[in-house]
């Protein structure tokens, strides 16, 4: 452990930092964290809505999403190797292009990271209200938030244990559903039959559907990028975060596609779900092939996975982003305080909890609006991420790897740009307002003469033309 801490401290010293967080996470821990963040059972809560939007081809949505997001994951992997520090896209853009543009990237992804826990609590409250309709939804938001803040506060090792337990529980429920579905299809229950129509139905397919699928899929796969925020707590080397991001993306896509394909085969004669039934469509399918008891169990698992496991991961990523930005003086420096015992950014964790509580109570019942705003923040930062790969590797270092440092980020930029251009007007308006606030914050700190990044790390690209930081392994 001492050697791992020492090696990590050496990496950070190159960028003007010292090791403060607890470097305890293996590559497997990062992978589990990413899977929990993306939620292998995520399709359960939105199956009916996606089914209606995609004309029944829900697996196709996730296939398209995987193809779209792999380009962004590859860009993340390249930058995480070059800059193995907390802060994710904020750090990559700030060092790959310019510190002030890095602030903009961090500010936009902050919109995503602040609203993702809110979205999760609202989802979880909806599920729990289906089990306990007597209790108001805001009660569940408070309960989940208190539990998650405590888990994050105890420390990253305890958080990793919680992640493993919840991932195991989710995988058990996936196996249970697969067994139920296969048995029902084998017996032709209610007309259930093997078919490829849920994956691709030529009679219903159209190009506009691809655009719709992209906007849905981007939100579903958000979370793999959060792995990069734990770089300073990883003991797996420079490649660890990149490996976890790409492998996690493929694994969770496999879970998404298999579950929704089976669900589609269980309802061969269904063309759409009534609006008031879409939210519980998947759980109604479970009841159809098993019992009401299993339906309640799946509802409870969904609520706990989203309200605790997924939200713990989201709060953890958000607090690390706040820590990284405040450490560089881009946000109030008191947020960079590390608890001496637990080695966590305690003030950032508590602030995220407080903000999430306010937003959660305000946005109860407004899942659509939150989702749109989350997408805007993530997509804008992803655009800057792809630019950082091109400028840092392609232009500054004159990389000979044309595929990874030119082709991949250009394709990724075009895909993300297309989705962002077709975002809902409300998301664009809200996102632009958030961006304007961020610009005002940037002007404020710039006029006060506060350094955006430590001087050494801000100029690391110029000082390290041969990529020593990346190629040490």
């Amino acid at each position: 452990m001492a050697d791992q801490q020492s090696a990590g401290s050496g990496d950070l010293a190159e960028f003007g930092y010292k090791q403060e967080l607890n470097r305890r996470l293996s590559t497997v821990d990062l992978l589990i964290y990413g899977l929990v963040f993306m939620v292998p059972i995520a399709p359960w809560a939105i199956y009916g809505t996606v089914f209606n939007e995609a004309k029944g081809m829900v697996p196709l949505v996730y296939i398209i999403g995987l193809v779209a997001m792999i380009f962004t994951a590859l860009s993340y992997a390249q930058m995480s190797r070059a800059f193995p520090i907390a802060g994710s896209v904020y750090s990559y853009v700030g060092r790959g292009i310019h510190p002030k543009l890095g602030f903009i990237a961090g500010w936009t992804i902050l919109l995503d990271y602040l609203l993702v826990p809110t979205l999760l609590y609202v989802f979880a409250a909806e599920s729990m209200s289906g089990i306990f309709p007597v209790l108001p939804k805001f009660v569940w938001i408070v309960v989940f938030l208190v539990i998650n803040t405590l888990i994050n506060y105890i420390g990253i090792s305890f958080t990793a244990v919680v992640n493993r337990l919840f991932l195991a529980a989710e995988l058990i429920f996936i196996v249970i559903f697969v067994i139920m579905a296969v048995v029902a299809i084998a017996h032709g229950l209610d007309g259930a039959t093997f078919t490829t129509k849920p994956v691709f139905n030529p009679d219903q397919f159209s190009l506009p559907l691809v655009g719709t699928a992209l906007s849905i899929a981007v939100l579903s796969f958000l979370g793999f990028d959060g792995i990069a925020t734990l770089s300073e707590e990883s003991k797996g080397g420079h490649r660890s975060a990149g490996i976890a991001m790409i492998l996690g993306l493929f694994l969770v896509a496999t879970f998404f596609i298999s579950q929704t394909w089976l669900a589609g085969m269980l309802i061969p004669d269904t063309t759409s779900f009534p609006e008031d039934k879409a939210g519980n469509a998947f759980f109604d399918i479970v009841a159809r092939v098993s019992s009401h008891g299993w339906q309640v169990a799946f509802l409870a698992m969904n609520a706990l996975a989203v309200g605790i496991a997924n939200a713990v991961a989201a709060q953890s990523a958000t607090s690390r982003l706040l820590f990284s930005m405040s450490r560089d003086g881009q946000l109030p420096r008191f947020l960079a305080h590390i608890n001496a015992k637990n080695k966590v950014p305690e003030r950032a964790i508590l602030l995220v909890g407080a903000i999430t509580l306010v937003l959660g109570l305000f946005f109860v019942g407004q899942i659509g609006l939150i989702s749109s705003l989350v997408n805007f923040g993530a997509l804008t930062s992803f655009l800057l991420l792809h630019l950082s790969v091109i400028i840092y590797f392609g232009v500054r270092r004159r990389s000979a790897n044309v595929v990874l440092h030119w082709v991949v980020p250009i394709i990724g930029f075009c895909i993300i740009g297309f989705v962002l251009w077709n975002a809902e007007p409300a998301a664009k308006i809200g996102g632009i307002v958030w961006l304007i606030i961020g610009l005002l914050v940037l002007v404020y700190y710039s006029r006060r003469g506060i350094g955006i990044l430590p001087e050494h790390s801000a100029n690391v690209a110029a000082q390290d033309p041969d990529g020593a930081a990346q190629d040490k392994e």
Side-chain angles (χ1 to χ4, degrees):
M1 178 57 65
D3 292 341
Q4 292 160 351
Q5 289 286 122
S6 177
S9 298
D11 290 339
L12 292 180
E14 295 180 7
F15 302 103
Y17 303 126
K18 63 180 181 178
Q19 184 70 46
E20 295 181 277
L21 299 171
N22 204 358
R23 196 173 285 275
R24 297 290 298 275
L25 302 180
S26 65
T27 302
V28 173
D29 288 326
L30 293 181
L31 174 61
I32 291 172
Y33 170 84
L35 289 173
V36 169
F37 204 155
M38 288 183 281
V39 193
I41 60 175
W44 295 3
I46 59 174
Y47 181 78
T49 302
V50 178
F51 186 95
N52 291 347
E53 293 284 343
K55 309 297 184 184
M57 292 175 283
V58 182
L60 180 63
V61 167
Y62 293 117
I63 293 172
I64 292 172
L66 173 63
V67 172
M69 296 308 295
I70 193 61
F71 294 99
T72 299
L74 287 170
S75 287
Y76 260 108
Q78 292 302 300
M79 296 306 289
S80 67
R81 287 183 60 197
F83 305 105
I85 51 181
S88 186
V89 68
Y90 150 71
S91 298
Y92 306 153
V93 175
R95 288 161 177 78
I97 305 178
H98 191 276
K100 291 185 178 180
L101 201 57
F103 172 86
I104 298 301
W107 185 262
T108 53
I109 199 70
L110 193 58
L111 178 63
D112 167 20
Y113 283 179
L114 285 175
L115 287 178
V116 161
T118 303
L119 178 63
L120 298 175
Y121 291 133
V122 172
F123 266 130
E126 292 285 346
S127 293
M128 292 305 289
S129 67
I131 303 173
F132 304 101
V134 177
L135 288 176
K137 295 175 183 176
F138 76 85
V139 172
W140 293 112
I141 292 177
V142 174
V143 170
F144 286 133
L145 192 146
V146 170
I147 293 173
N148 296 339
T149 301
L150 182 61
I151 291 172
N152 270 302
Y153 192 86
I154 291 174
I156 195 65
S157 295
F158 182 66
T159 302
V161 172
V162 172
N163 286 339
R164 287 174 180 267
L165 292 174
F166 271 98
L167 180 61
E170 290 179 50
L171 295 181
I172 289 172
F173 268 80
I174 289 175
V175 171
I176 291 172
F177 175 71
V178 169
I179 294 173
M180 288 178 175
V182 169
V183 171
I185 292 169
H187 288 84
L189 181 67
D190 293 335
T193 183
F194 177 81
T195 175
T196 58
K197 282 189 175 181
V199 179
F200 184 76
N201 185 350
D203 296 333
Q204 297 293 332
F205 181 78
S206 64
L207 287 179
L209 186 144
V210 175
T212 301
L214 279 174
S215 62
I216 295 171
V218 165
L219 180 63
S220 300
F221 286 111
L222 288 182
F224 76 89
D225 54 300
I227 293 173
T229 64
L230 302 183
S231 292
E232 290 181 32
E233 291 155 280
S234 167
K235 60 183 181 181
H238 294 172
R239 293 182 175 87
S240 184
I243 292 171
M245 279 188 276
I246 295 172
L247 184 56
L249 198 59
F250 275 100
L251 282 175
V252 84
T254 301
F255 293 135
F256 289 173
I257 293 166
S258 59
Q259 291 176 90
T260 54
W261 189 355
L262 287 169
M265 289 190 284
L266 293 171
I267 48 172
D269 299 324
T270 303
T271 55
S272 65
F273 295 100
E275 188 173 340
D276 61 331
K277 298 288 186 180
N280 285 317
F282 183 89
F283 304 104
D284 290 340
I285 292 173
V286 170
R288 190 171 171 179
V289 299
S290 57
S291 65
H292 175 68
W294 274 114
Q295 181 187 35
V296 172
F298 272 72
L299 274 167
M301 183 68 250
N302 178 73
L304 293 174
V306 173
I308 295 181
N310 192 195
V312 163
Q315 188 179 34
S316 180
T318 310
S319 63
R320 270 59 176 183
L321 176 61
L322 290 176
F323 161 76
S324 185
M325 294 182 72
S326 59
R327 178 176 61 180
D328 292 340
Q330 296 202 25
L331 292 175
R333 289 191 182 274
F334 82 91
L335 292 174
H337 174 76
I338 298 296
N339 182 289
K341 180 181 179 181
N342 302 334
K343 300 295 183 182
V344 296
E346 59 178 355
R347 295 174 183 172
I349 289 172
L350 294 174
L351 179 62
V352 172
I355 292 175
T356 303
L357 175 61
V358 174
L359 292 175
L361 297 178
F362 179 78
F363 281 112
V364 168
Q366 301 184 61
I367 291 176
L369 177 58
I370 308 174
S371 301
S372 299
L373 291 172
V374 166
N375 266 1
F376 184 94
L379 293 173
T380 304
S381 66
F382 289 170
L383 287 178
L384 294 174
L385 169 75
H386 289 301
L387 284 178
S388 71
V389 174
I390 295 170
I391 293 174
Y392 178 70
F393 287 103
V395 177
R396 290 184 178 175
R397 292 179 53 186
R398 297 183 177 88
S399 170
N401 194 333
V402 177
V403 174
L404 283 178
H405 300 150
W406 284 99
V407 177
V408 166
I410 287 175
I411 294 175
F413 185 93
C414 292
I415 291 172
I416 298 301
F418 172 79
V419 178
L420 187 60
W421 181 263
N422 290 282
E424 295 181 9
K428 292 179 181 178
I429 294 171
I432 290 172
V433 169
W434 177 257
L435 190 58
I436 291 173
I437 295 173
L439 290 172
L440 294 175
V441 173
L442 177 60
V443 170
Y444 170 76
Y445 278 102
S446 297
R447 287 189 173 180
R448 289 186 60 189
I450 299 175
I452 294 299
L453 294 172
E455 187 172 346
H456 176 77
S457 60
N459 296 312
V460 70
Q463 295 173 0
D464 185 22
D466 298 321
Q470 176 182 345
D471 300 327
K472 284 173 64 178
E473 294 182 294

